[in-house]
């Protein structure tokens, strides 16, 4: 079967930079799905995009569908013939198939025999199917917001101007979004504005590159990176390349040209984060650092034109950035005139959540919990209380109102300028850590106390008003808050009881409409996050289930137990002991055992049960100090030695002895075995 390359390109006015990649991938996926549904063979699919075009290349696309045998089922055999003669049902089915009744076949199914017909169906030409496939793929694009233009009723993200559809060297006849497909495309708006006639689908990228368009998204992105790094090297500086900013800039240009500009050194008196946020958010500039890691009064912009006078472009960007940085300096100077503590009253007018009060109310609640946590972890309770009271004050500053991403950062700067203790200032920044799963946790005890208190207040409050997250909605980012709490407690090695902390947080809310069972509800929700946490750490979910079966409410302890079970599961003895514990659990449940582990040695009749009893006593004495030290891995290593006496016991001893006292004693022996392992986890879950 012959094949050729297929090219689809949709020319548009400038697309939103943040949507370019997703639209390109969605277009490629839509074409892939359409071709697969049509059973047309194809090779690699490449998605391309620039601000002015979405394009997809499909290599080795077969020129037609494969021929296939089609089977049609008609009436049941009993209804198809009467007295050996075909009925009207049989004749009608034959006519619909274009054959005589004698050419029909019998189809055997589990529901009986039916009349049927098989025919060889010729595959349809790919070029005949492509218009419908392409139209469906374009119509299904996840466009954030459609628009109409001119007098047209057609809708798309931006006005569309041209459509290229080529199969090999032939134009695919199609009309989509009011555009007639052709072989005409366009290069760079300024460097190569003339129409370009594509001879064939192959060579698309090379042709556009000659016309000053880098349509390959990945190549354009890396070209920008290389240029920015080269510009920085010329300035003997280090360029800080934010990957999200790099993506955005790549979505703004077709022919990137990096240029270095400068700004007045006086702006360096402003905290660097303010200048960086202004340059990134407003102008999409990359900033530069000196050898000491300090911000240099330089920036790198990426132009979409190769200017004959680049200095003029640089000066234009310098003129634009100057008022932006002046605004940042003004916000900074204005904010410093009012101490953070005096902004505390302003939080009373900022609603956190209608049923949970204002940010001032939240600060009061968090302060109590933060103080308690600081006392428990050896921190300074007064510093924790003060930091919690000031934690949200920078939200009402001019700088944070303009650049929300600076919350916490500006609070730290302003607290230091106000003469607050360094522990308090640092905690204002650390309260938002970790921001995501891979981020660092607060390092200071005051920061840990405030970060935990703030999130616990949010979790208990939102659950307490009945707005727990669903699979699709989590407006208060409660999943992220729960994971952050676990990370701080585990990575910070804070031996705190989560139930106790949640109870204290709930008490601070006063009255909540859903307070009954609230602590257990939030606790279960938070501990459930350990399931994904375990998998992220490379553990099987059974390690989580084994610990979850126990009433463990200290996240640090929970994590230690999971790691121990994970390590134990890799031992040769694990499978046998897990199976034995599962068997013990089933026996005790079936016999409705009262849970007693008191064994009477005088009732141990068989040698195997005497050996197991002695082994349990020896191991219990050996692992007791390990349990107290929470060294669960070492404890399970010691308990692994029980495999042989346990196996022998089940091979040689009849648990359900006829004599009630002997039977009860053996059940107590098994309960003793189970209880010893349950000091760590229910390893029977490893049988799942």
């Amino acid at each position: 079967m012959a094949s050729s390359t297929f090219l689809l390109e949709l020319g548009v006015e400038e697309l939103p930079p943040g949507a370019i990649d997703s639209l390109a991938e969605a277009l490629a996926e839509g074409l892939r799905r359409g071709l697969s549904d049509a059973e047309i063979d194809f090779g690699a699919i490449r998605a391309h995009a620039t601000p002015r075009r979405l394009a997809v290349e499909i290599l080795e696309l077969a020129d037609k569908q494969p021929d296939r045998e089609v089977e049609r089922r008609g009436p049941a055999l009993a209804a198809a013939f009467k007295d050996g003669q075909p009925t009207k049902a049989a004749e009608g089915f034959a006519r619909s198939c274009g054959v005589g009744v004698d050419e029909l076949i019998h189809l055997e199914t589990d529901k009986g025999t039916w009349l049927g017909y098989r025919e060889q169906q010729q595959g349809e030409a790919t070029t005949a199917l492509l218009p419908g496939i392409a139209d469906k793929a374009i119509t299904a694009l996840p466009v954030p917001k459609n628009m109409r233009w001119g007098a047209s009723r057609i809708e798309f993200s931006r006005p569309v101007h041209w459509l290229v559809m080529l199969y090999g060297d032939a134009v695919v006849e199609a009309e989509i979004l009011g555009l007639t497909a052709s072989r005409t495309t366009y290069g760079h708006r300024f460097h190569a504005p003339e129409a370009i006639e594509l001879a064939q689908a192959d060579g698309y990228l090379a042709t556009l590159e000659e016309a000053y368009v880098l349509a390959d998204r990945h190549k354009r992105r890396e070209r920008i990176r290389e240029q920015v790094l080269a510009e920085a090297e010329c300035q003997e500086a280090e360029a800080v390349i934010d990957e999200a900013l790099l993506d955005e800039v790549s979505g703004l240009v077709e022919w990137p040209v990096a240029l270095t500009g400068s700004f007045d050194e006086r702006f360096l008196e402003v905290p660097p984060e303010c200048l960086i946020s202004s340059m990134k958010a407003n102008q999409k500039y990359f900033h530069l650092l000196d050898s000491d890691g300090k911000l240099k009064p330089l920036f790198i912009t990426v132009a979409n034109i190769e200017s004959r006078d680049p200095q003029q472009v640089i000066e234009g960007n310098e003129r634009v950035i100057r008022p932006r940085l002046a605004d940042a300096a003004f916000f900074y100077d204005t904010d410093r005139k009012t101490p953070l503590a005096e902004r505390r009253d302003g939080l009373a007018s900022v609603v956190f959540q209608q049923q949970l009060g204002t940010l001032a109310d939240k600060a009061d609640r968090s302060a109590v919990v933060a103080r308690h946590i600081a006392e428990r972890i050896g921190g300074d309770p007064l510093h924790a209380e003060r930091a919690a009271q000031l934690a949200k004050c920078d939200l009402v500053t001019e700088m944070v109102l303009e650049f929300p991403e600076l919350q916490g950062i500006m609070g730290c700067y302003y607290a230091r300028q106000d003469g607050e203790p360094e522990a308090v200032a640092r905690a204002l920044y650390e309260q938002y850590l970790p921001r995501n799963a891979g981020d660092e946790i607060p390092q200071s005890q005051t920061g840990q106390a405030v970060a935990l208190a703030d999130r616990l207040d949010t979790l208990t409050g939102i659950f307490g008003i009945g707005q727990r997250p669903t699979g699709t909605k989590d407006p208060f980012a409660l999943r992220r808050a729960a994971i952050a709490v676990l990370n701080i407690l585990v990575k910070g090695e804070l031996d705190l009881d989560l139930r106790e902390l949640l109870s204290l947080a709930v008490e601070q809310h006063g009255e909540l409409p859903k307070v009954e069972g609230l602590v257990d509800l939030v606790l279960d929700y938070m501990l459930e996050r350990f399931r994904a946490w375990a998998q992220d750490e490379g553990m099987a979910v059974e390690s989580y289930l084994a610990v979850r079966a126990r009433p463990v409410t200290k996240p640090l302890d929970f994590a230690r137990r999971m790691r121990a079970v994970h390590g134990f599961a890799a031992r040769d003895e694990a499978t046998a002991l897990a199976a034995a514990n599962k068997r013990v659990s089933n026996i005790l449940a079936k016999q409705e055992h009262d849970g007693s582990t008191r064994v009477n040695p005088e009732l141990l009749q068989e040698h195997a049960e005497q050996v197991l009893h002695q082994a349990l006593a020896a191991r219990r004495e050996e692992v007791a100090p390990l349990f107290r030290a929470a060294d669960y891995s070492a404890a399970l290593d010691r308990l692994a030695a029980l495999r042989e006496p346990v196996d022998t016991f089940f091979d040689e001893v009849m648990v359900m002895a006829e004599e009630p006292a002997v039977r009860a004693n053996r059940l107590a022996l098994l309960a003793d075995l189970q209880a010893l392992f349950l000091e760590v986890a229910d390893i029977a879950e490893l049988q799942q």
Side-chain angles (χ1 to χ4, degrees), residues 360-413:
D361 298 324
K362 182 174 177 59
D364 288 337
R365 295 192 299 263
S366 297
V368 176
V369 179
R371 180 183 180 116
H372 172 82
I373 293 173
E375 290 173 346
R376 293 293 309 278
I377 65 177
D380 188 318
L382 294 179
H383 284 166
E385 183 177 17
R386 178 68 171 175
Q389 288 287 2
L390 298 178
K392 307 303 178 187
C393 289
D394 68 348
L395 296 181
V396 292
T397 62
E398 296 292 335
M399 188 68 79
V400 175
L401 287 172
E402 180 70 17
F403 301 110
E405 68 272 16
L406 295 180
Q407 57 188 291
I409 295 172
M410 297 315 300
C412 181
Y413 275 109

Side-chain angles (χ1 to χ4, degrees), residues 409-686:
I409 295 172
M410 297 315 300
C412 181
Y413 275 109
Y414 295 148
R416 284 172 177 157
Q417 290 164 7
D418 294 344
E420 296 286 348
E422 175 59 25
V424 172
R426 184 179 178 185
L428 299 192
Y429 167 74
E430 290 186 327
Q431 65 174 308
Y432 294 105
L433 300 178
R435 299 177 186 85
N436 49 59
D439 200 8
E440 63 177 352
I441 66 168
Q443 297 301 306
S444 71
Q445 292 169 322
T446 303
Q448 292 170 347
V450 175
L452 289 170
D454 178 57
R455 291 174 170 94
L456 292 170
D457 175 80
T458 300
L459 283 159
T460 53
I462 300 302
F463 269 81
I465 59 174
Q467 292 191 23
R468 65 173 298 168
T470 64
T472 57
K473 298 176 67 175
D474 186 11
F476 286 89
L478 299 187
R479 288 187 185 86
R480 192 189 313 159
I483 292 170
V485 169
L486 297 181
N487 274 323
I488 293 171
L489 294 175
V490 174
K491 295 180 180 178
E493 297 190 348
L494 305 181
D495 192 26
L496 298 176
D497 191 306
L498 195 51
R499 182 188 295 279
E500 176 188 318
L501 297 181
L502 289 170
S503 298
L504 180 61
V506 169
E507 290 174 9
Q508 308 316 307
H509 284 284
E511 294 185 6
L512 289 170
K514 303 287 185 179
V515 72
E516 186 175 352
L518 177 58
V519 170
D520 286 334
L521 181 64
V522 181
L523 179 63
D524 287 344
Y525 175 82
M526 296 183 72
L527 292 180
E528 179 67 22
R529 302 310 106 197
F530 267 121
R531 182 190 295 268
W533 189 88
Q535 293 173 324
D536 289 343
E537 293 283 317
M539 303 180 194
V541 71
E542 286 77 19
S543 297
Y544 159 79
L545 295 173
V547 181
R548 193 71 175 91
R550 304 292 299 136
V552 181
T553 57
K554 292 183 176 182
L556 176 60
D557 197 49
F558 199 109
R560 286 172 173 166
R561 291 169 186 263
M562 279 203 309
R563 292 189 180 110
V565 173
H566 175 66
F568 175 73
R571 294 184 62 108
D572 294 338
E573 300 90 344
T575 302
L577 285 171
N581 272 269
K582 185 70 174 178
R583 185 174 179 182
V584 169
S585 180
N586 291 337
I587 291 172
L588 295 178
K590 186 176 181 180
Q591 297 303 315
E592 298 182 355
H593 182 64
D594 61 6
S596 172
T597 59
R598 295 177 62 87
V599 177
N600 184 350
E602 295 181 359
L603 294 176
L604 297 175
Q605 300 174 347
E606 304 290 340
H607 177 69
E609 61 182 328
Q610 295 168 358
V611 170
L612 178 59
H613 178 59
Q614 293 166 2
L616 288 176
R619 288 290 174 265
R620 183 179 297 103
E621 184 176 348
E622 189 176 349
V623 300
L626 297 176
F627 287 150
R628 289 194 294 270
D631 190 353
Y632 302 115
S633 294
L636 286 177
D637 284 343
R638 302 293 193 282
L639 294 181
L642 290 172
R643 174 184 177 176
E644 184 175 343
V646 168
D647 286 347
T648 303
F649 174 86
F650 280 116
D651 288 342
E652 299 181 3
V653 178
M654 176 68 71
V655 176
M656 306 311 296
E658 292 185 8
E659 188 177 344
V662 174
R663 181 169 64 248
N665 201 53
R666 289 174 179 172
L667 290 174
L669 181 61
L670 293 182
D672 193 25
L673 168 66
Q674 183 187 55
L676 194 54
F677 277 96
L678 285 177
E679 289 284 344
V680 180
D682 185 0
I683 67 166
E685 291 291 342
L686 298 181

Side-chain angles (χ1 to χ4, degrees), residues 23 87 177 245 280 302 334 370 425 436 485 516 573 592 608:
L23 288 175
T87 63
L177 295 179
L245 178 60
K280 287 171 60 175
V302 179
T334 301
N436 49 59
V485 169
E516 186 175 352
E573 300 90 344
E592 298 182 355

Side-chain angles (χ1 to χ4, degrees), residues 6-12 27 52 54-55 130-131 134-135 138 160-166 171-186 196 198:
F6 171 65
L7 169 67
L8 183 148
E9 182 194 57
L10 182 65
V12 296
L27 180 57
R52 299 179 63 215
L54 296 172
L130 280 173
D135 187 32
I138 291 174
V160 295
H161 292 293
W162 74 84
L163 174 66
V164 174
M165 287 180 64
L166 290 176
V171 174
V172 178
E173 295 183 6
E175 185 171 323
I176 300 173
L177 295 179
L179 299 170
T180 300
S182 70
R183 63 176 71 249
T184 304
T185 187
Y186 294 86
I196 300 170
L198 296 170

